[in-house]
């Protein structure tokens, strides 16, 4: 094959690879597989616009092909004359101005109605505050109903738990840089921007686990910033929320007790575990606040989550092997190895700011540093963390 031809076929074949990869069977982030009414209305709009575009494509491409073939220069035609030259046809010009305008108006109408439909805030529904952090998502449930989302409420991370079949309003913002919240099965993307609050509504038809990832480049571990929505039956959700409002119980003996002590000394500068290290409040001029950073996940109910470290590590063994730790696998077999590996050297699992660079966040630590724990300390901490369900 000549080099030119080889290059041409490469140019045609190479784009096919990602195209074929997009046909993967197990694609939990498939945008064309809506699992709730909001994502379904986006999907309906897409389908409608797709068929309008397909119609235009067929008319234009086949029309062009027909004209090229029908009026080509025939073999036996050796005259050098040009075909009759015409200019201007008022009827045609009016037609091809009006027809596309009408088609765009129809597409625009359905686009706008869908947009209004999916951005509606359901005032009767529960609201959860979603906070983008480098590099994990924090969720705050206003459980004391004071209209504020703060340290007094239930805080959790990575797994956003919601009741299935109900609207849930999200208030999305960021604690540092711009992130983007996206659970493709439930709705489109929404940026998380510091100093702003963006609404997003989600609704899952059925109980299940829906995965997503941060979709705005947000620093070194952007690719390790994932999120999940776990939809439960309303009864299971109520039980889950009631459990989350409880403090952790301090273990009194064994390795776990030693782990709790270690947690209070080693981890409490950043992480909160209510009932373990929440006795230290301080007034920093902004009312009384907990003496924790606010930049690290609340670990009070760490073991009630399916994944940790921004969703990159499983906390429980994925028994059915489908790549997703579902609600019924949480509380099954604890994935001790993952937690140990994480504590042994967190930046190896998920990079924080590269130590060689000047710290771009000033005095803020972003990402979990290596605490140089001994194997005994790691064992104790893991035993303790497993008790926090
Ligand atoms: Cu957060 Cu990308």
């Amino acid at each position: 094959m000549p080099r030119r031809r080889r290059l041409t076929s490469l140019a045609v074949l190479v784009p096919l690879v990602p195209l074929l990869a997009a046909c993967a069977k197990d694609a939990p982030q498939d945008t064309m597989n809506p699992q709730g009414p909001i994502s379904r209305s986006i999907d309906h709009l897409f389908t409608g616009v797709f068929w309008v575009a397909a119609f235009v494509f067929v008319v234009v491409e086949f029309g062009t092909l027909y004209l090229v073939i029908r009026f080509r220069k025939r073999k036996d035609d050796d005259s050098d004359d040009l075909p009759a030259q015409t200019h201007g046809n008022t009827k045609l010009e009016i037609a091809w101005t009006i027809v596309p305008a009408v088609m765009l108006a129809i597409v625009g109408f359905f686009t706008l109605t869908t947009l209004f439909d999916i951005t509606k805030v359901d005032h009767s529904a529960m609201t959860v505050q979603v906070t983008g952090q480098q590099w994990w998502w924090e969720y705050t449930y206003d459980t004391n109903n004071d209209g504020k989302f703060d340290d007094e409420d239930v805080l959790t991370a990575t797994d956003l738990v919601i009741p299935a079949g109900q609207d849930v309003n999200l208030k999305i913002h960021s604690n540092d840089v711009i992130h983007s919240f996206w659970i493709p099965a439930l709705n489109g993307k929404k940026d998380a921007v510091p100093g702003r609050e963006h609404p997003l509504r989600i609704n899952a038809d059925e109980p299940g686990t829906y995965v997503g990832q941060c979709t705005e480049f947000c620093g070194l571990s952007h690719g390790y910033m994932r999120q999940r929505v776990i939809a439960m039956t309303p009864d299971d959700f109520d039980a889950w929320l009631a459990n989350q409002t409880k403090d952790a119980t301090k273990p009194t003996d064994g390795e776990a007790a030693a782990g709790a002590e270690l947690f209070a000394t080693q981890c409490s500068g950043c992480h909160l575990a209510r009932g373990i290290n929440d006795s230290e409040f301080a007034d920093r001029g902004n009312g009384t606040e907990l003496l924790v950073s606010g930049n690290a996940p609340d670990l009070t109910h760490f073991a009630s989550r399916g994944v940790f470290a921004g969703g990159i590590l499983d906390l429980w063994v994925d028994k059915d092997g489908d790549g997703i730790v579902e609600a019924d696998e949480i509380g099954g077999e604890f994935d001790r190895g993952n937690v140990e590996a994480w504590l042994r050297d967190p930046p190896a699992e998920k990079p924080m700011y590269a130590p060689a660079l000047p710290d771009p966040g000033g005095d803020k630590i972003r990402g979990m540093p290596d605490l140089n724990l001994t194997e005994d300390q790691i064992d104790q901490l893991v035993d303790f963390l497993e008790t926090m369900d």
Side-chain angles (χ1 to χ4, degrees):
M1 221 194 289
R3 201 178 132 77
R4 274 286 287 277
R5 285 266 297 283
R6 263 205 319 261
L7 280 176
T8 316
S9 25
L10 255 181
V12 172
L13 288 175
V14 166
L16 280 178
V17 174
L19 203 65
L20 286 174
C23 304
K25 232 174 31 185
D26 290 323
Q29 288 181 210
D30 185 351
T31 48
M32 312 247 226
N33 187 15
Q35 311 273 334
I38 302 157
S39 49
R40 203 149 41 237
S41 75
I42 298 174
D43 193 58
H44 284 160
L45 175 68
F46 167 77
T47 310
V49 173
F50 174 83
W51 286 115
V52 170
F55 171 75
V56 171
F57 176 82
V58 167
V59 169
V60 170
E61 295 305 317
F62 283 83
T64 308
L65 267 179
Y66 169 77
L67 292 176
V68 165
I69 292 167
R70 172 81 175 75
F71 298 105
R72 71 192 187 279
K73 185 167 175 164
R74 318 267 158 162
K75 269 201 191 114
D76 53 354
D77 174 9
D78 17 271
S79 84
D80 280 336
D81 295 346
L82 290 170
Q85 300 294 295
T86 59
H87 180 77
N89 181 324
T90 313
K91 275 185 197 159
L92 260 181
E93 281 171 20
I94 290 176
W96 66 52
T97 305
I98 288 184
V99 171
V102 169
M103 287 170 80
L104 283 180
I106 293 173
V107 166
F109 173 78
F110 286 107
T111 304
L112 284 176
T113 48
T114 306
L115 266 177
F116 283 122
D117 181 39
I118 65 172
T119 51
K120 240 182 354 216
V121 174
D122 181 348
H123 292 286
S124 65
M126 175 179 79
T127 299
V128 181
Q129 186 185 60
V130 175
T131 309
Q133 303 253 19
Q134 282 173 317
W135 291 273
W136 56 284
W137 293 95
E138 179 169 66
Y139 311 113
T140 312
Y141 297 70
D142 181 20
T143 32
N144 63 0
N145 288 314
D146 64 354
K148 287 187 291 190
F149 296 90
D150 52 24
D151 286 346
E152 326 257 295
D153 295 312
V154 162
L155 297 168
T156 182
T158 308
D159 279 351
L160 171 58
V161 181
I162 62 166
Q166 295 178 16
D167 279 347
V168 175
N169 299 316
L170 305 181
K171 283 184 174 189
I172 299 178
H173 77 147
S174 168
N175 189 33
D176 35 52
V177 299
I178 302 177
H179 306 267
S180 185
F181 188 82
W182 189 36
I183 303 287
L186 304 182
N187 201 337
K189 299 172 184 176
K190 187 68 87 176
D191 275 5
V193 179
R196 292 182 63 100
E197 201 172 75
H198 293 160
L200 185 75
R201 193 163 42 97
I202 53 172
N203 187 330
D205 293 329
E206 300 289 335
T209 306
Y210 308 94
V211 298
Q213 64 189 69
C214 177
T215 56
E216 181 81 36
F217 180 70
C218 55
L220 206 53
S221 276
H222 158 67
Y224 299 111
M225 182 169 171
R226 302 185 193 157
Q227 64 264 31
R228 322 193 311 163
V229 166
I230 298 181
M232 296 180 172
T233 63
D235 285 348
D236 285 352
F237 173 76
D238 289 344
W240 175 85
L241 195 60
N243 180 54
Q244 298 286 314
T245 58
K246 291 185 194 142
D247 283 355
T249 324
K250 202 168 192 165
T252 48
D253 53 34
E255 295 280 277
E261 293 303 325
L262 200 56
F263 182 90
T265 56
Q266 290 278 345
C267 317
S268 56
C270 296
H271 291 283
L272 174 63
R274 284 152 212 276
I276 310 291
N277 69 338
D278 58 355
S279 53
E280 298 164 49
F281 283 84
D283 190 343
R284 289 182 286 200
N286 197 10
T288 304
E289 288 178 82
L290 289 168
L291 267 184
V292 288
S293 65
N295 303 328
D298 182 315
L299 298 181
T300 313
H301 294 279
F302 175 70
S304 73
R305 301 167 194 161
V307 293
F308 70 108
I312 60 163
L313 294 173
D314 289 351
L315 192 50
W316 299 92
V317 175
D318 171 27
K319 291 254 161 112
D320 60 9
D322 63 353
I324 296 175
V325 178
E326 280 110 352
D328 60 356
E329 287 158 339
I330 296 174
E333 189 186 331
F334 197 64
D335 201 328
R336 207 181 162 86
N338 273 353
V339 189
E340 285 175 2
W342 174 250
L343 291 176
R344 209 166 277 133
D345 189 1
E349 304 290 327
K350 183 179 172 187
M352 52 187 297
Y353 280 141
L357 292 173
D359 179 1
D363 57 353
K364 280 182 177 174
I365 290 178
R366 291 302 188 199
M368 175 138 158
D370 185 356
L371 297 171
N372 295 309
L373 301 166
T374 66
E375 286 303 311
D376 284 346
Q377 290 176 318
I378 291 172
D379 269 343
Q380 293 165 355
L381 275 174
V382 176
D383 276 347
F384 165 61
L385 287 169
E386 192 181 350
T387 67
M388 301 217 282
D389 56 0

